[in-house]
Amino acid sequence: MIFKTDYKLEKFILNTRWEDLPDCVKERVRGCFLDLLGALLIGSHSEQFEAGLKLAESLYGKGEIPVIGSDKTFSFMGASCAMGHSSNAYDIDDGHNIIRAHPGTSFIGGILAAAYEKNISRNEFFTALTVAYETCIRSGEAIMDYYKYAHSSGTFGAVGVAAGVGRIYGFTPEEMNNVLSVAEFNAPLVPGIRSVEYPSMNKDGVPFGVMIGTLAVMASMNGFLGNKNLLEAEEYKHYLDDLGENWEIMNLYFKPYTCCRWGHPAIDACIGLLNEHGITYEDIERVKIKTFYKATQLSKIVPKTADEAQYNIAYPVAAALIYKDFGYAQVCKENLGEKRVVEMMSRLSFETDTELDAQFPAKRICRAEILTKDGRTLISPECEPRGEACENIRFSWLTDKFRRIASPVCTDEGIETAIELISAEEDMPLRQMVDRINSAKFRK
């Protein structure tokens, strides 16, 4: 490989200014943070988060940086670790179709911790998030091509953390180049597809991507030297050609349900048939889901853990047929094994449709067929997941989602406080925003 360093990416990361961002990007990054805040909040009610808190306490010790959804405070590394464990705990965070991963969740823990530590402004924090998205996604495209198999979020997140935190820490272009190289070279090469078949907290590797990214920052600050990252290679420099012109943050999708994106079209197809024909789960004899091959490979076991419930297709569809939703209330451990849902799972079947499969991964399409107990066959139109980039998701869509997703764990007062602080035109210190959010009666 031929490498040439011109610091184009590094200068973009360090020199991008909030006031120069397009209005659509400003609105989008506000929405991204609100969406990630929802993920952090419900994630703070997970066993994965409890593991992250214990790890942070034992490995990194105490400090002054708070963690969303907790009254504990840690050092930069500890707070990053803890929030890295909560941000993807319920799989409700943003995604990007081309890299088949979740960018925001993979770096929010590290960047939020650094922003609080340095007490930068809220808008400077939003700018750091923006350049992290742009770097993470482009690096992800290069990594996916170089290694020739699908990685997952933690892999790319290490680079996103390095970019955002390096900016907040005031690195030079040379220092930024070094930390990007260290983070990308040492990033966990997460084989996410294995977690689809065998669900566990391993999932998308987010906690480890966050920890590698923060470790790369600290190692670089202490003299550790890397050398070259893939975006400097001639084969991959074209991913930087449109920096500052084409904003990858605008190409994100957003998830309405707390489960793998591949199951979302089946959920919507089924709910749509219930609403269209005025039936309930009690009217259903059988359900056949026709979809792309990868979706049919999702787990269909009766889940015993929250992760088994998320990386599943039978459980979310069955629960949605009962509740017409799939959120925290359906995926939290204490509600797993609900008899009506388990019984409905036995009425489901899943088939690969070759025409739909041919359109994956650019499109993830499903059709549902419901056979009712009175002998009718109800067939849905082709459904794609809601929240796709082509829908031009606005802040209002994300506030509606935030209210719905966060309501089981947050008070109305806390929800509206968060929305108000994030959407306010007037800038404020980042600490002021985080402290108000964390003290706004978020735990019921």
Side-chain angles (χ1 to χ4, degrees):
M1 299 179 73
I2 299 174
F3 291 85
K4 183 179 180 181
T5 302
D6 59 11
Y7 297 117
K8 180 176 182 177
L9 175 60
E10 292 79 4
K11 291 175 182 177
F12 169 80
I13 293 169
L14 296 171
N15 298 334
T16 296
R17 303 191 307 165
W18 174 256
E19 53 267 33
D20 295 335
L21 294 176
D23 288 343
C24 63
V25 173
K26 291 179 179 179
E27 179 187 6
R28 172 55 57 86
V29 74
R30 291 175 192 268
C32 285
F33 180 60
L34 182 66
D35 201 53
L36 291 168
L37 178 61
L40 287 165
L41 285 165
I42 66 170
S44 70
H45 291 255
S46 68
E47 291 183 320
Q48 182 166 315
F49 181 60
E50 293 303 318
L53 286 177
K54 291 176 182 177
L55 179 61
E57 289 178 324
S58 63
L59 195 60
Y60 300 115
K62 295 183 178 180
E64 304 299 322
I65 302 174
V67 169
I68 295 294
S70 173
D71 57 4
K72 297 182 178 181
T73 58
F74 297 97
S75 65
F76 162 64
M77 293 284 286
S80 301
C81 168
M83 289 189 285
H85 280 74
S86 60
S87 63
N88 186 236
Y90 288 119
D91 207 13
I92 191 62
D93 36 84
D94 62 57
H96 191 278
N97 286 334
I98 300 303
I99 62 173
R100 286 180 259 175
H102 303 275
T105 185
S106 68
F107 52 67
I108 184 60
I111 296 176
L112 184 55
Y116 192 95
E117 179 188 31
K118 298 299 183 183
N119 195 25
I120 62 176
S121 74
R122 182 203 60 180
N123 289 351
E124 171 57 21
F125 165 66
F126 288 159
T127 309
L129 284 184
T130 302
V131 299
Y133 273 107
E134 299 305 309
T135 304
C136 177
I137 293 167
R138 287 171 168 82
S139 182
E141 291 180 294
I143 290 170
M144 291 268 278
D145 182 79
Y146 181 79
Y147 289 102
K148 305 300 182 187
Y149 76 91
H151 293 71
S152 202
S153 309
T155 305
F156 319 134
V159 184
V161 169
V165 176
R167 176 190 169 100
I168 292 168
Y169 278 11
F171 283 8
T172 65
E174 293 79 9
E175 290 169 336
M176 179 63 73
N177 177 267
N178 186 68
V179 75
L180 292 175
S181 300
V182 174
E184 185 252 285
F185 187 90
N186 292 285
L189 301 183
V190 182
I193 197 67
R194 283 172 54 191
S195 197
V196 171
E197 297 184 47
Y198 305 101
S200 71
M201 289 184 190
N202 278 329
K203 216 189 260 172
D204 285 332
V206 167
F208 293 88
V210 172
M211 288 189 285
I212 292 296
T214 55
L215 188 61
V217 171
M218 302 309 293
S220 295
M221 292 175 67
N222 283 281
F224 190 94
L225 298 178
N227 194 6
K228 305 293 186 294
N229 65 78
L230 287 177
L231 288 176
E232 295 178 87
E234 289 296 332
E235 294 94 319
Y236 301 118
K237 289 187 72 174
H238 65 277
Y239 289 124
L240 304 180
D241 288 346
D242 58 359
L243 269 177
E245 299 174 7
N246 173 45
W247 297 90
E248 288 292 347
I249 196 172
M250 302 305 297
N251 295 325
L252 298 171
Y253 67 76
F254 298 92
K255 301 176 69 175
Y257 305 121
T258 53
C259 63
C260 178
R261 186 69 165 171
W262 296 349
H264 285 215
I267 292 173
D268 281 332
C270 288
I271 293 175
L273 285 176
L274 295 182
N275 292 336
E276 179 183 355
H277 297 280
I279 62 174
T280 71
Y281 71 94
E282 295 176 315
D283 299 308
I284 294 173
E285 182 65 32
R286 291 195 306 276
V287 179
K288 181 184 295 184
I289 302 296
K290 295 186 176 183
T291 187
F292 52 97
Y293 173 74
K294 289 291 188 183
T296 69
Q297 297 304 293
L298 286 166
S299 174
K300 302 172 189 66
I301 64 172
V302 177
K304 296 180 180 178
T305 68
D307 296 289
E308 289 180 348
Q310 297 162 56
Y311 272 16
N312 198 310
I313 192 166
Y315 179 76
V317 171
L321 285 164
I322 305 296
Y323 296 105
K324 292 187 178 181
D325 195 7
F326 194 75
Y328 171 78
Q330 287 72 47
V331 80
C332 63
K333 186 175 180 180
E334 51 266 34
N335 289 339
L336 300 180
E338 205 270 327
K339 290 183 179 179
R340 293 178 301 169
V341 177
V342 173
E343 198 279 330
M344 181 58 70
M345 290 176 70
S346 68
R347 298 174 182 266
L348 307 179
S349 63
F350 300 87
E351 296 181 4
T352 299
D353 183 296
T354 55
E355 292 184 0
L356 301 183
D357 189 56
Q359 300 178 66
F360 177 82
K363 293 186 176 182
R364 290 146 299 172
I365 307 174
C366 165
R367 287 194 307 275
E369 297 181 5
I370 293 180
L371 176 64
T372 63
K373 291 179 179 178
D374 62 8
R376 290 178 292 162
T377 298
L378 312 177
I379 302 176
S380 77
E382 292 185 352
C383 285
E384 293 188 70
R386 288 186 294 123
E388 288 293 294
C390 62
E391 297 176 42
N392 189 26
I393 298 300
R394 305 302 299 267
F395 189 77
S396 57
W397 192 100
L398 293 166
T399 57
D400 289 345
K401 172 190 168 180
F402 182 72
R403 291 184 177 106
R404 179 174 61 86
I405 290 297
S407 61
V409 300
C410 305
T411 64
D412 291 343
E413 175 190 351
I415 289 171
E416 298 309 317
T417 295
I419 294 171
E420 176 187 339
L421 291 170
I422 292 169
S423 61
E425 286 300 318
E426 185 177 353
D427 201 4
M428 66 189 74
L430 188 279
R431 287 186 184 178
Q432 177 183 326
M433 180 176 72
V434 171
D435 289 345
R436 283 193 62 190
I437 287 172
N438 252 357
S439 62
K441 299 182 180 178
F442 269 92
R443 285 179 182 265
K444 284 187 174 178

